[in-house]
Amino acid sequence: MDHAIQALACAIFFFFFLTGMFITFWVFRCRKPVSTTTTTTTTTTELSSITVVDQIASFDPNLEFSMTELRVATKDFSPEFIIGGGSFGTVYKANLSNGVTVAIKRLNPDAFKGFREFWTEMVTLGMLRHPNVVKILGYCMTSSDRLLIYEFFENGSLDQLLHLEQNQEAATLSWGTRIQIVKGVANGLSFLHSLDKPIAHQNIKSRNVFLDSDFQAHITDFGVARGIDNSTSYASTQSADTMGYCYMPPEFMEGLTSATLEADVYSFGILMFEIATGKRPNLPSLLDGKEVGIVEWARIFLAQDKYMQIVDASILGEDGLIVAHVKEYLEIASMCTSEIRRERPTMAKVLRLLNPIPM
Ligand SMILES: Nc1ncnc2c1ncn2[C@@H]1O[C@H](COP(=O)(O)OP(=O)(O)OP(=O)(O)O)[C@@H](O)[C@H]1O
């Protein structure tokens, strides 16, 4: 056998092994047959050079759905049900027949990268349950489609709420709500980082934080998440290339590409600055005629004790906005964005530091 055939055989074996392990895990976890209707059709399909057997599964024992139902609920994925799109596909909002509203991510069928994201998201997220981590309800894989089904969040992404388009009516997030969101993300990340095999999310940004009807934060998008080897404190797999540039720690720009928990802490610090200032971290700020990044910009004001000058002008003057709390908040963000990786606090410590700041 030449190398190509051996590689293909390995890929097929690995695929079925993973699928078997995954389904077995869920069957045992739920202690009753998961509503996993694994429909094995006689047709198999070549998808991204790996053979795929049609299947559909629900990770929630109380929620069953079929491909037909998803098609009916979205009028065969009609554009009127589209609520967004990302680099890996299109997102639809669908009301299922049992009254549950879900978000369906339909992955672009042509991208091989999308196939890897699909599995990583499904395998990682399918096993996690935490109030600040998005719940994946199931998946669907057919010859032509790969769908991920999530709980639906009424208030969309944090990015959409923080950075309203010019023609949108301002529905400003109060300082208290911003603190609640920051604590929620910190709680979710701290959970991921403290697992027996810690998970580095690797893509923390405001677009990957969703808000439910109570403005509770839910971390999404685990497509590039990596398990961290406790003995080395980083993942051997490279993944830095997918991280949003402006959320990326300096060590990644200097060549390190392994996933680390400290990189998540840095991205979280940038997110904290973004939430407090309302500034897009990818847009430089002008300071004395010079363009500077969000961290440098904030640090200059911090060094002069001008805390309130950093805060989003739309919430200045709010009753709950107290200088001492703003100072504490910005100091935590500053610690998280330390240039030196080892000096950044753990997410568990961040959570402890955030605790005294009232919502
Ligand atoms: N579970 C959900 N509930 C409500 N809206 C959602 C949900 N999932 C996605 N959306 C909407 O779809 C948009 C696109 O989401 P998606 O996660 O695919 O892309 P993205 O994260 O914005 O981009 P990328 O994947 O390229 O980083 C979101 O901004 C949001 O408006």
Side-chain angles (χ1 to χ4, degrees), residues 83-84 86-87 91 103 105 151 153 160 205 207-208 210 221:
I83 51 169
S87 41
V91 184
K105 194 184 262 193
E151 55 184 325
F153 297 108
Q160 288 164 329
K205 56 182 177 183
R207 278 171 71 151
N208 288 339
F210 285 140
D221 209 342

Side-chain angles (χ1 to χ4, degrees), residues 273 287 294-310 327 330-331 334:
F273 278 132
L287 207 69
I294 195 165
V295 177
E296 197 183 336
W297 177 82
R299 287 228 176 99
I300 287 168
F301 287 100
L302 271 173
Q304 300 167 17
D305 296 340
K306 293 178 178 168
Y307 309 109
M308 299 311 251
Q309 290 197 26
I310 300 177
K327 178 175 185 273
L330 294 172
E331 280 170 353
S334 182

Side-chain angles (χ1 to χ4, degrees), residues 83-92 102-105 134 150-157 159-160 203 205 207-208 210-211 220-221:
I83 51 169
S87 41
F88 299 113
T90 311
V91 184
Y92 298 81
V102 295
I104 304 172
K105 194 184 262 193
V134 67
Y150 301 89
E151 55 184 325
F152 177 78
F153 297 108
E154 288 78 359
N155 280 310
S157 76
D159 169 83
Q160 288 164 329
N203 205 4
K205 56 182 177 183
R207 278 171 71 151
N208 288 339
F210 285 140
L211 302 170
T220 72
D221 209 342

